[in-house]
Amino acid sequence: MNIILMGPQGSGKGTLARQIIKEFGLPQISTGDLLREQMKKETELGKLAKSYVNKGSLVPLDVILKILQDRISRKDCKNGYILDGFPRSKEQAEALKKIAKIDAVIVLEIPSDVIIKRILTRRVCSSCGEIYNTSSYSDPTCKCGAPLYQRDDDKSEAAIRNRLEIYDRETAPLVDFYSDRVYKLDGSGSPAEVYARAKILLKDLEARK
């Protein structure tokens, strides 16, 4: 089952994806991570992507698609995968159709005031990247022992609201584009509560296939 996971920053996409991976065995694929991996390994595609990055330009869509196609052709994607952060526009969605069949688009919905509170109290591990929230975890260090920090773009409510507005503008066309495969999921509550809803949905989608 090939899934696109959508939701604004702070909606809990990363946490939900990790839970889905653990139970359903679907790999999570981020085009940003793929680009960094290819550039680090200095593959031909990585070198090409780096040539644009070094000039301060956006990596062209056709290069991203080639990198993505290489990733989804690997063995661990045989039974499906979770796309996180791609596509972000109708143009990207149209291009994705050429290389992949998307079975479901799960859109996490959560009130903006809840998201803002989550992001303002979000802390990230400086070593392993694990994410915590001061409302439920008050220790200044990660469980791995490294210090936690607050990202600069998480400190301003105005900046967060701006990001949410951009997400809303970008997302609306995609929800329409994938209208017959869109499943809106309540992202409010604890990670366990959100995953319980997601699990019911995923089991239902599996049964229909």
Side-chain angles (χ1 to χ4, degrees), residues 122-168:
R122 182 167 63 182
R123 300 294 183 270
V124 184
C125 176
S126 56
S127 177
C128 70
E130 186 66 33
I131 295 174
Y132 296 88
N133 196 286
T134 58
S135 62
S136 57
Y137 187 86
S138 57
D139 199 311
T141 58
C142 175
K143 292 174 182 176
C144 76
L148 302 179
Y149 73 97
Q150 184 179 26
R151 287 168 35 176
D152 287 339
D153 57 350
D154 284 355
K155 296 177 181 178
S156 164
E157 181 173 333
I160 295 169
R161 287 191 182 279
N162 183 56
R163 277 148 56 189
L164 291 177
E165 288 172 7
I166 292 171
Y167 171 80
D168 286 341

Side-chain angles (χ1 to χ4, degrees), residues 16-69:
L16 178 58
R18 286 192 292 274
Q19 291 168 309
I20 294 173
I21 291 165
K22 188 175 180 180
E23 183 162 352
F24 289 84
L26 300 176
Q28 178 186 9
I29 298 174
S30 159
T31 51
D33 290 344
L34 289 180
L35 283 170
R36 286 185 285 273
E37 177 191 355
Q38 294 280 344
M39 288 189 287
K40 186 176 180 181
K41 290 181 177 178
E42 296 192 329
T43 64
E44 287 305 311
L45 284 172
K47 289 176 184 176
L48 181 58
K50 198 170 186 177
S51 69
Y52 289 97
V53 172
N54 287 343
K55 290 185 290 188
S57 304
L58 291 174
V59 178
L61 179 55
D62 64 320
V63 176
I64 293 174
L65 283 177
K66 286 175 183 175
I67 291 173
L68 180 58
Q69 189 166 26

Side-chain angles (χ1 to χ4, degrees), residues 81-110:
Y81 45 82
I82 303 166
L83 283 179
D84 180 5
F86 188 90
R88 291 180 182 271
S89 66
K90 188 176 177 181
E91 178 193 9
Q92 291 180 350
E94 289 280 7
L96 181 61
K97 279 172 61 177
K98 299 173 184 176
I99 66 167
K101 177 182 177 294
I102 300 302
D103 300 302
V105 179
I106 298 176
V107 181
L108 279 171
E109 294 193 320
I110 185 166

